[in-house]
């Protein structure tokens, strides 16, 4: 289905704007969520807010993908933003009535906004030419940079505004979040009307070019006809659930690598990131310095996304993903050295920046690979299942990071993070071996054709 370039540009602009506004909303809330929980429930429950939001994003990922598959991306993203608005309203209500249970429920619904921000990258990839797919996704991801930086800096102004409205302290930032999520939903509803259709031809691993689809496993669903525009309903010959989509991915080396890498890269990043502030404060570094290091880490996660998208399109998603894994290994190595040598903030900050860069490269390249390798009827359910697994892996890593830090220090945290990467390395080796075998087979066929 051909769609005018102007209409597609408008759709990408809507996704970028929605992700920017959604990023502001999420970052504004995260900045004060722990403080609000501490006020209502004490220090012992202050960490539950992030866990509730991450679990909310994980639980919502598959149902939102189901809505996208049945009714289209536009309705899925709009529904997700509406749920996040409801979550923000519950949080404000909890602050007014001082109810911890209501606050946790609101934070879980609020986390759905993060799931929407993540799934918007797949909406951008729908219909993109194989040679531009990663770049298009990366532009949408890059918009999060602005929101992530601006959101926390609006907290004080938003808190004063909330107090002016008569709300309790720390409720104001969530009013800003509600407005931002509502605006994001409105932009998507109005302007994401008819994006281009997903490409029906999977791309070859390691390249940005189209290639024949890999044979499906016996239990895998069959590839249906090309899906209509992602702003419209995405239908297929048969409904495919998350489990069936993951089963399909398990039988396809490239898809399996993408699913595994997205999960383990996120788990590595979360495990090291959440323990870095504690490590720094245990070594006498100021809270202000901690904030600077985390800000640099966030910039590493998002600021260079378009560069990494261009690289994945240029040299291939698999090769770029392998580069992302090397950056992740370099990051935990730097973190281990910094902790072992008692090094101050400079090496720790460098480790966190490289960690953010490795996460960004891995996410963009693996997402592009996933968008190009799956058959039409499993693509959207598989994307939802992958994002759910990504968030579940991050939640598990965050839960394990504290005990690991207590038992072995920051060195042990970095060693454990490196161990998490092993399944992705194994999956990458399998894909690269298949690529070399395919290249050898092609060379043999060419030699046979030129023989007299």
């Amino acid at each position: 289905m051909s769609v005018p370039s102007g209409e597609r540009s408008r759709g990408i602009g809507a996704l970028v704007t929605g992700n920017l506004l959604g990023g502001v909303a999420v970052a504004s809330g995260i900045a004060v969520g722990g403080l609000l929980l501490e006020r209502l429930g004490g220090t012992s429950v202050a960490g539950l807010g992030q866990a509730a939001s991450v679990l909310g994003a994980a639980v919502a990922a598959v149902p939102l993908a189901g809505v996208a598959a049945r009714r289209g991306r536009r309705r899925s993203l709009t529904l997700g933003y509406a749920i996040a608005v409801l979550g923000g309203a519950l949080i404000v209500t909890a602050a007014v009535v001082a109810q911890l249970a209501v606050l946790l429920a609101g934070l879980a619904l609020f986390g759905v906004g993060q799931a929407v921000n993540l799934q918007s990258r797949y909406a951008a990839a729908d219909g993109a030419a194989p040679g531009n797919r990663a770049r298009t996704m990366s532009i949408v991801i890059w918009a999060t940079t602005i929101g992530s930086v601006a959101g926390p800096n609006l907290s004080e102004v938003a808190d004063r505004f909330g107090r002016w409205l008569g709300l309790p302290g720390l409720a104001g930032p969530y009013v800003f979040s509600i407005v931002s999520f509502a605006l994001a939903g409105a932009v998507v509803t109005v302007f994401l009307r008819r994006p281009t259709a997903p490409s029906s031809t999977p791309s070859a691993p390691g390249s940005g070019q189209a290639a024949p689809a890999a044979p499906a496993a016996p239990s895998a669903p069959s590839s249906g006809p090309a899906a209509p525009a992602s702003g419209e309903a995405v239908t297929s010959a048969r409904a495919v659930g998350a489990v069936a989509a993951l089963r399909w991915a398990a039988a396809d080396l490239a898809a399996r690598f993408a699913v595994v890498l997205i999960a383990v890269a996120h788990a590595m990043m979360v495990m090291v990131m959440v323990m870095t502030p504690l490590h720094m404060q245990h070594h006498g570094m100021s809270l202000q310095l901690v904030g600077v290091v985390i800000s640099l880490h966030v910039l590493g996660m998002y600021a260079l996304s378009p560069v990494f998208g261009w690289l994945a399109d240029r040299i291939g998603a698999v090769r770029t993903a392998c580069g992302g894994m090397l950056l992740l290994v370099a990051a935990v190595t730097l973190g281990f050295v910094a902790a072992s040598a008692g090094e101050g903030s400079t090496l720790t900050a460098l480790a966190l920046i490289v960690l953010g860069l490795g996460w960004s490269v891995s996410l963009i390249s693996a997402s592009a690979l996933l968008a190009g390798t799956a058959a039409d009827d499993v693509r959207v359910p598989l994307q939802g299942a992958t994002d759910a697994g990504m968030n579940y892996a991050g939640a598990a890593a965050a839960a394990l990071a504290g005990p690991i830090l207590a038992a072995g220090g920051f060195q042990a945290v970095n060693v454990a993070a490196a161990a998490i990467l092993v399944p992705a390395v194994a999956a990458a080796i399998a894909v690269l071996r298949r690529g070399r075998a395919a290249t050898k087979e092609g060379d043999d066929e060419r030699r046979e054709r030129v023989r007299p």
Side-chain angles (χ1 to χ4, degrees), residues 152-177:
N153 291 314
L154 294 173
S155 296
E156 185 176 351
V157 175
D159 187 51
R160 289 201 300 267
F161 178 72
R163 292 176 188 274
W164 179 78
L165 292 176
L167 297 173
L170 303 178
Y174 286 100
V175 175
F176 271 34
S177 296

Side-chain angles (χ1 to χ4, degrees), residues 26-392:
V26 170
S28 297
I30 287 176
V32 299
L35 298 174
L36 187 55
L37 269 166
E38 184 179 41
R39 174 178 296 178
L40 297 185
T43 303
S44 61
V45 301
L48 293 179
Q50 182 65 14
S53 293
V54 170
L55 287 175
V59 170
V62 171
L64 287 176
V67 173
R70 294 188 305 271
R71 308 296 297 275
R73 296 284 191 187
R74 177 164 57 95
R75 296 191 183 185
S76 173
L77 299 179
T78 302
L79 175 61
Y81 283 131
I83 294 172
V85 167
L86 175 60
L90 280 178
I91 293 170
V92 173
T93 301
V96 173
V97 301
Q99 286 293 321
L100 179 62
V102 177
L103 176 58
L104 289 172
L107 287 167
L109 296 178
F110 188 83
V112 175
Q114 181 62 22
V116 177
N117 287 346
L118 285 170
Q119 292 200 7
S120 64
R121 74 190 191 276
Y122 293 125
D126 288 348
N132 294 322
R133 184 178 290 126
R135 202 176 328 169
T136 303
M137 299 174 81
S138 67
I139 291 171
V140 174
I141 294 173
W142 173 84
T144 308
T145 308
I146 302 173
S148 298
V149 173
N153 291 314
L154 294 173
S155 296
E156 185 176 351
V157 175
D159 187 51
R160 289 201 300 267
F161 178 72
R163 292 176 188 274
W164 179 78
L165 292 176
L167 297 173
L170 303 178
Y174 286 100
V175 175
F176 271 34
S177 296
I178 290 171
V179 174
S180 294
F181 277 139
L183 289 174
V187 168
V188 167
T189 299
V190 173
F191 295 105
L192 190 66
R193 299 193 63 83
R194 194 173 168 235
T196 56
S199 171
S200 61
T201 306
S203 60
S207 74
Q209 303 304 317
S219 60
S222 61
S223 177
S230 58
E232 309 297 332
V234 181
T235 60
S236 62
R238 84 174 91 171
V240 176
V243 174
L246 289 172
R247 191 181 300 120
W248 184 94
D252 183 274
L253 292 179
R256 182 172 65 199
F257 172 50
V259 171
V260 171
L261 179 57
I262 287 173
V264 301
H266 192 64
M268 284 184 70
M269 186 273 293
V270 170
M271 175 172 281
V272 175
M273 182 193 69
V274 297
M275 290 297 106
T276 298
L278 294 177
H279 163 69
M280 294 179 69
Q281 290 215 306
H282 291 170
H283 286 75
M285 301 179 210
S286 68
L287 187 60
Q288 182 179 6
L289 187 56
V290 170
V292 171
V293 169
I294 297 300
S295 295
L296 291 173
H297 168 69
V298 173
L299 284 175
M301 290 173 65
Y302 298 113
L304 296 181
S305 296
V307 176
F308 301 143
W310 172 84
L311 189 64
D313 287 333
R314 182 78 173 180
I315 69 172
V318 172
R319 294 188 185 93
T320 306
C322 290
M325 291 192 295
L326 290 175
L327 285 172
L328 291 172
V329 171
V332 294
T333 302
L334 287 169
F336 182 89
V337 171
S340 301
E343 176 64 32
S345 59
T346 302
L347 194 54
T348 302
L350 179 60
L352 263 288
I353 293 171
V354 175
L355 181 68
L357 293 173
W359 178 89
S360 182
V361 176
S362 299
L363 180 71
I364 291 169
S365 55
S367 297
L369 185 61
L370 198 63
T373 194
D376 285 339
D377 52 352
V378 297
R379 180 181 292 114
V380 177
L382 182 57
Q383 289 166 350
T386 300
D387 280 356
M390 170 185 177
N391 283 295
Y392 284 128

